[in-house]
Amino acid sequence: MTFLSATLDRVKPSPTIAVTTKAAELKAAGRDVIGLGAGEPDFDTPDNIKAAGQAAIAAGKTRYTAVDGIPELKTAICDKFSRDNGLDYSPAQVTVGTGGKQVLYNAFMATLNPGDEVIIPAPYWVSYPDMVLLGGGTPVFVEGQIAGGYKITPAQLEAAITPNTKWFLFNSPSNPTGAGYSWSELKALTDVLLRHPHVWVMSDDMYEHLAFGNFKFCTPAQVEPQLYDRTLTVNGVSKAYAMTGWRIGYAAGPETLIRAMRKVQSQSTSNPCSVSQYAALEALTGPQDFLPDNARMFQARRDLVVDALNACAGISCPRPEGAFYVYPSIADCIGKTSAAGTKIGNDEDFATALLDETGVAVVFGAAFGLSPNFRVSYATSDAELAEACARIKSFCDGLH
């Protein structure tokens, strides 16, 4: 009899964390490593938000709070949804968790039964399938193609829906591709969902404020109000406000679902960090004028990276609409051998050889469900990005 749960056999550790950890270990050992694996902004948390956290500590706001968020923060979240998305929620329809990841996990744990299916467009964030599996459900993948900017079509969504489908999990702009769905593209998907009233929608909007150029962010319940009563809209302060370590995510949806998610959280972590909640309150109610400035900086980095990668032999990189990732194809690199003699049989071989031979850490595409590709996070300085891209070009030039 094994001591460990059989549930663990269905899931794997996060590949993105593994890459970041390996890069940090190599740096500590003295290697010259440029890490392009971490999915977090390189900006510091704004001073007013840090000050709010410090003020909360000074005021003794360090005790337990309500299980899924202080009332003031829930009210601020309602105001945010109204202001930014035209969605009206009451505080009873809002939950706050320890990061967006916990909110997603709570929703799956609260709703999935054996045999329930969750449709996940691929490429996908590495944690989505494993959270579904931990909740007892079955992930069903729908592959977006590079020719369509990695976005799925209404016909693909329609074909994936079965009587067992419980959720459609939507993420725009996307991790790992940066792909963003326009209003018309999303409306075409929501039209499909209207024909299947048993399917609920989970929208991961974490990259909402990282939208570039003429692309305008929109979310399913905003585009199709008839889906309001079966949509969970998930967001957080991690990416937009550079608060990844503060661990605050939130969601709004039908009150019955929110109560069920609260029950799950009450028996796992209980409340999110009290100090972080007050910092998040300041993030949502304080100045917002820096958000477009940050988006413009990320857009410039996107353009730097996309142009540089498309100049590399064997790489094809679409120009995405948002987030801070690109997801280039390396189909023309597969089957070749690196200058150091490494055979490139798949995208994991490519990423491993790239790190070993050049010191550039990226995440291989198989981790995100679509190969042969790799993900670059360009949430680092222009100088590091330019140097990393120069090393990638040298590596590709050496393939034969």
Side-chain angles (χ1 to χ4, degrees), residues 180-203:
Y181 289 73
S182 68
W183 187 285
S184 60
E185 288 170 332
L186 182 49
K187 182 64 169 67
L189 295 180
T190 60
D191 284 348
V192 173
L193 294 165
L194 286 177
R195 295 195 289 271
H196 300 277
H198 68 289
V199 180
W200 283 53
V201 185
M202 191 180 302
S203 185

Side-chain angles (χ1 to χ4, degrees), residues 68-69 73-74 76-81 83-85 89 93-104 106 203-206 208-209 232-238 240-241 247-253 258 261 265 272 280-281 283-284 288:
D68 65 345
L73 180 54
K74 288 191 174 188
I77 291 166
C78 292
D79 292 342
K80 173 261 176 290
F81 278 122
R83 175 184 73 228
D84 295 342
N85 312 115
Y89 293 106
Q93 293 175 277
V94 172
T95 184
V96 182
T98 304
K101 181 180 281 190
Q102 185 186 26
V103 174
L104 295 165
N106 287 349
S203 185
D204 181 351
D205 296 353
M206 194 61 71
E208 170 184 7
H209 292 294
L232 181 71
T233 304
V234 183
N235 212 314
V237 297
S238 295
Y241 300 94
R247 307 309 301 133
I248 295 292
Y250 57 83
I258 297 300
M261 292 168 63
Q265 188 159 310
L281 174 62
L284 295 179
Q288 309 290 305

Side-chain angles (χ1 to χ4, degrees), residues 12 14-17 19 36-39 120-130 141-144 150 171 174-177 207 325-328 347 351 362-371 373-377:
K12 57 187 180 299
S14 168
T16 52
I17 293 175
V19 168
L36 303 180
I120 303 175
Y124 47 73
W125 180 42
V126 295
S127 293
Y128 289 154
D130 292 293
F141 304 116
V142 179
E143 288 190 0
Y150 299 115
N171 177 217
S174 159
N175 176 6
T177 67
Y207 298 92
Y325 309 105
V326 293
Y327 199 68
D347 51 32
V362 299
V363 186
F364 59 93
F368 304 101
L370 189 70
S371 294
N373 297 74
F374 65 92
R375 188 193 77 173
V376 167
S377 170

Side-chain angles (χ1 to χ4, degrees), residues 4-14 101-102 104-116 118 120 125-139 141 167 264:
L4 298 177
S5 168
T7 301
L8 292 177
D9 294 336
R10 300 199 297 267
V11 301
K12 57 187 180 299
S14 168
K101 181 180 281 190
Q102 185 186 26
L104 295 165
Y105 181 83
N106 287 349
F108 287 134
M109 291 297 292
T111 60
L112 292 180
N113 295 304
D116 288 342
V118 178
I120 303 175
W125 180 42
V126 295
S127 293
Y128 289 154
D130 292 293
M131 287 193 285
V132 171
L133 291 166
L134 283 169
T138 302
F141 304 116
W167 287 102
V264 173

Side-chain angles (χ1 to χ4, degrees), residues 45 71 77 166 172 194 211 216 294 338 343 381-382:
T45 303
I77 291 166
K166 178 156 284 186
S172 168
L194 286 177
K216 304 296 183 186
N294 285 0
S338 74
K343 183 76 170 179
S381 71
D382 288 10

